[in-house]
Amino acid sequence: MTIELPGADGRLRTYTPRAEPLAVTTGAPFTARTVFSAAHVVADPYADTTPDSPAAVDWDATLAFRRHLWSHGLGVAEAMDTAQRGMGLDWAGAAELIRRSSAEARSVGGLIACGVGTDQLPATEAGYPYTLDEVRAAYEEQLALVEESGSRVILMASRALVAVAKGPEDYLEVYGHLLRQAAEPVILHWLGPMFDPALEGYWGSTDLDAATSTFLQVIAAHPDKVDGIKVSLLDAQREIDLRRKLPDGVRCYTGDDFNYPELIAGDDQGFSHALLGIFDPLGPLAAEAVRVLDTGDTAGFRSLLDPTVELSRHLFQTPTRFYKTGVVFLAWLAGHQSHFTMVGGLQSARSLPHLARAYELADGLGLFPDPALAETRMKNLLSLYGVTQ
């Protein structure tokens, strides 16, 4: 069987789908690394909504996908960028997601950490007309909810904070206050502007060296309250340099969806743990690779994970913030949900050739548990675009 796929040049080409999925196993929790997958949400396809309406979520399918990740030993990073936080999922929806997922994690013994931000302070026509105190209070409200849920905390970058902060001292003040208040050590999240253009100049400077200095000051002032940092700058050397400067006991969780195999594998001076959006579609394969790493077989780990980088770089290509479309598309092809609909109508954010290439790369890796189902669904999508087989 073959399938005709459109290329970037607009021409059709013949592709022969893989017959069998990759063989993966389940097993004991990981020992070499702590690994989180940032998980997507499943929209309710029957809800009568518009792109700017509050998200309508299919809670059963959304929680089922989290159980899938937990079943392979992965942790879930909840209500993060991959869940369309700030791109279709507002704070009310995120709060409900945090409550439901945290309860589900307790019921199955799954590892979970949830995002704490300030997205109850939306932008207006005038920008972000808030005070620093209001930004801090918004963080506090979300921090309280996540701690009450029993989840670990991920302090996310804030669009409101970057808009109202006058300089590095405001970041030091806000983060210092939150870290002193946190009941348990948290993960600090530095999300680069390639993921969210509104975060340009975070930590008080567009100069990354100056921003890094402020970031490290926050950590150095409260090392006992920082479990780790998540860095999403898509710059492997910067992450390596940063993790070598961390205080003892503070982990680096890579968020680099371009260079994750080498960063997780590490070098003679250290390694990164993982908190990655690409581990949403790669879940079972990523878990298999980390189990190989648990045995001390770094080469075997790289042999499994290195071939996935081409798919990840494709999904996260510019404009990077639309990677969620490819992630949800692959979840549909893999049978984790019954439709390709996204909150905010984001299923339209990538082109047909982009999706076709994502299908081809994922199929080549053996990511689809039922390759025939994936092929059928891909053909159905192609037919909607007028591509006949």
Side-chain angles (χ1 to χ4, degrees), residues 77-137:
E78 189 56 277
M80 302 290 291
D81 186 57
T82 306
Q84 294 180 243
R85 188 84 176 262
M87 288 185 69
L89 187 71
D90 61 11
W91 167 236
E96 184 66 14
L97 179 63
I98 289 166
R99 293 187 191 98
R100 289 176 181 257
S101 291
S102 297
E104 195 72 18
R106 288 195 300 273
S107 72
V108 302
L111 177 63
I112 189 170
C114 297
V116 166
T118 64
D119 43 331
Q120 67 271 59
L121 302 178
T124 68
E125 292 183 0
Y128 287 88
Y130 307 107
T131 66
L132 204 63
D133 286 343
E134 288 173 317
V135 172
R136 184 174 60 241

Side-chain angles (χ1 to χ4, degrees), residues 4-29:
E4 297 294 313
L5 298 176
D9 60 1
R11 297 181 179 180
L12 294 177
R13 54 194 167 77
T14 300
Y15 173 69
T16 302
R18 182 176 177 134
E20 299 293 336
L22 181 74
V24 295
T25 61
T26 58

Side-chain angles (χ1 to χ4, degrees), residues 373-386:
L373 173 66
E375 180 184 352
T376 296
R377 290 185 168 182
M378 187 69 225
K379 287 180 175 178
N380 287 341
L381 181 68
L382 290 166
S383 71
L384 293 176
Y385 282 80

Side-chain angles (χ1 to χ4, degrees), residues 25-37 69-75 111 273-274 279 283-294:
T25 61
T26 58
F30 309 134
T31 57
R33 305 289 187 271
T34 300
V35 181
F36 290 94
S37 166
L69 294 172
W70 285 319
S71 74
H72 289 280
L74 298 163
L111 177 63
H273 299 270
F279 280 7
L285 192 158
E288 184 79 2
V290 176
R291 287 200 168 85
V292 170
L293 187 61
D294 281 347

Side-chain angles (χ1 to χ4, degrees), residues 34 39 42 57 81 105 140 162 169 185 187 189 245 250 254 272-273 283 315 331 343 373 384:
T34 300
V42 182
V57 177
D81 186 57
E140 290 174 334
V162 75
E169 64 281 356
I187 298 172
H189 185 194
K245 296 175 182 176
V250 175
T254 187
S272 294
H273 299 270
L315 296 182
V343 299
L373 173 66
L384 293 176

Side-chain angles (χ1 to χ4, degrees), residues 84-236:
Q84 294 180 243
R85 188 84 176 262
M87 288 185 69
L89 187 71
D90 61 11
W91 167 236
E96 184 66 14
L97 179 63
I98 289 166
R99 293 187 191 98
R100 289 176 181 257
S101 291
S102 297
E104 195 72 18
R106 288 195 300 273
S107 72
V108 302
L111 177 63
I112 189 170
C114 297
V116 166
T118 64
D119 43 331
Q120 67 271 59
L121 302 178
T124 68
E125 292 183 0
Y128 287 88
Y130 307 107
T131 66
L132 204 63
D133 286 343
E134 288 173 317
V135 172
R136 184 174 60 241
Y139 263 128
E140 290 174 334
E141 177 189 354
Q142 296 198 16
L143 176 64
L145 185 145
V146 171
E147 289 186 335
E148 288 168 6
S149 77
S151 169
R152 297 189 187 187
V153 170
I154 304 170
L155 278 182
M156 301 169 65
S158 161
R159 292 174 180 172
L161 179 55
V162 75
V164 306
K166 299 297 190 295
E169 64 281 356
D170 286 341
Y171 290 87
L172 294 169
E173 192 278 326
V174 169
Y175 276 87
H177 178 87
L178 294 170
L179 289 172
R180 287 189 295 272
Q181 185 174 328
E184 300 291 340
V186 310
I187 298 172
L188 298 179
H189 185 194
W190 185 358
L191 190 69
M194 66 288 294
F195 288 92
D196 187 346
L199 298 177
E200 181 75 38
Y202 211 75
W203 303 113
S205 178
T206 56
D207 180 281
L208 286 179
D209 290 336
T212 298
S213 177
T214 301
F215 188 41
L216 287 169
Q217 286 182 60
V218 170
I219 298 163
H222 308 277
D224 59 323
K225 286 297 187 75
V226 181
D227 166 79
I229 62 170
K230 178 194 186 305
V231 186
S232 299
L233 298 176
L234 303 183
D235 184 333

